[in-house]
Amino acid sequence: MLKHLPRLLAAAVLTLAFNACAQEQKEAAAAPVAAEAGKTYFPIEPAQPTASGDKVEVLEVFSYACIHCAHFQPYADEIKAKLPAYAEFSYMPAIFNEAWEAYARAFYTAQALGLQDKTHQAMFDAVHRDHRQIRSFDDIAKFYGEHGADVEKFKQTAGSFEVESKLARSRSLVPKFGVDGTPTIIIDGRYRITAASAGGYPQLVSLVDTLVKKAHAERTAAGAKK
């Protein structure tokens, strides 16, 4: 046993060193990133209207068809959990093609029926984890039927004025935000952030916090001038 002790000690030292290095890398990855206009975030000019009233809007432009959005969802949940009382998180599905339009319609239909919170993660799981075959809107309606929706009512609601209006708003605003990929975070209609600009998902979470505070300060200053 003793003759193997040097090798055991060396292995232990290497393991400790490896773990320490991994921890340093993890901490570095999560380190706050500076808010630099044109580099880590991009001003939206002109600023676009929000749907959050008096609160700072944190809007994720996403799609259920986007695997990066599925990977980002835990970070979106972290952002929501950390938001101050003066901010509000919401989603806007992007419509880049016909398939994405179907998922956007499904999102707004589920929202209209009060099923969004219950089905949001489940849809990501179905598409990207379970590789469920979804070839038509009937397939989508069937999925929501498995999560508490009346399938016929779901299909009827999908063509409602409420859903069509929200789809039209998405088609109008997403290009004005300058979004060319998902997920993208829009802060109060004023600032655009992506994981690429922030340097990663953990950094994006930190940057959202910084820009939410900035947007709130700007709202407060503007209100004081009135």
Side-chain angles (χ1 to χ4, degrees):
M1 177 67 181
L2 290 177
K3 68 178 181 179
H4 297 300
L5 186 59
R7 279 187 292 174
L8 292 173
L9 289 173
V13 169
L14 286 173
T15 299
L16 289 171
F18 176 82
N19 290 340
C21 182
Q23 181 63 29
E24 288 175 2
Q25 290 175 346
K26 182 178 179 181
E27 290 173 356
V33 61
E36 299 181 51
K39 185 176 180 181
T40 58
Y41 76 94
F42 301 92
I44 297 170
E45 299 175 348
Q48 298 301 310
T50 66
S52 55
D54 294 335
K55 294 191 175 185
V56 173
E57 183 180 67
V58 179
L59 183 69
E60 182 191 347
V61 181
F62 83 105
S63 175
Y64 289 129
C66 169
I67 192 169
H68 304 295
C69 297
H71 293 161
F72 179 68
Q73 188 54 42
Y75 296 94
D77 290 338
E78 182 180 352
I79 289 171
K80 283 187 284 185
K82 290 181 176 179
L83 282 182
Y86 57 74
E88 180 177 282
F89 189 97
S90 58
Y91 296 98
M92 177 174 283
I95 305 172
F96 291 152
N97 54 50
E98 186 177 346
W100 285 36
E101 190 273 346
Y103 283 118
R105 187 177 296 277
F107 171 83
Y108 284 131
T109 303
Q111 190 178 72
L113 295 174
L115 294 170
Q116 177 193 320
D117 290 342
K118 181 180 179 180
T119 58
H120 191 65
Q121 183 63 55
M123 177 58 88
F124 276 130
D125 291 344
V127 175
H128 300 289
R129 185 194 67 191
D130 303 335
H131 305 291
R132 179 166 177 157
Q133 296 299 309
I134 296 179
R135 298 186 177 89
S136 67
F137 198 79
D138 284 343
D139 292 336
I140 291 175
K142 181 180 178 181
F143 164 83
Y144 282 96
E146 294 166 5
H147 290 80
D150 178 284
V151 173
E152 289 307 312
K153 184 177 181 181
F154 187 89
K155 292 179 181 178
Q156 291 172 6
T157 305
S160 67
F161 177 79
E162 177 184 353
V163 170
E164 293 291 352
S165 297
K166 290 180 177 179
L167 289 170
R169 184 170 183 268
S170 174
R171 291 190 185 98
S172 173
L173 282 179
V174 169
K176 292 177 181 178
F177 289 147
V179 173
D180 58 7
T182 53
T184 295
I185 300 294
I186 306 298
I187 304 295
D188 217 31
R190 308 177 189 206
Y191 309 119
R192 183 178 71 253
I193 324 169
T194 66
S197 69
Y201 289 154
Q203 293 90 336
L204 187 151
V205 173
S206 172
L207 190 55
V208 166
D209 179 66
T210 299
L211 292 178
V212 164
K213 291 174 181 175
K214 175 178 171 62
H216 178 63
E218 290 168 349
R219 277 187 175 229
T220 301
K225 292 179 181 179
K226 293 181 180 179

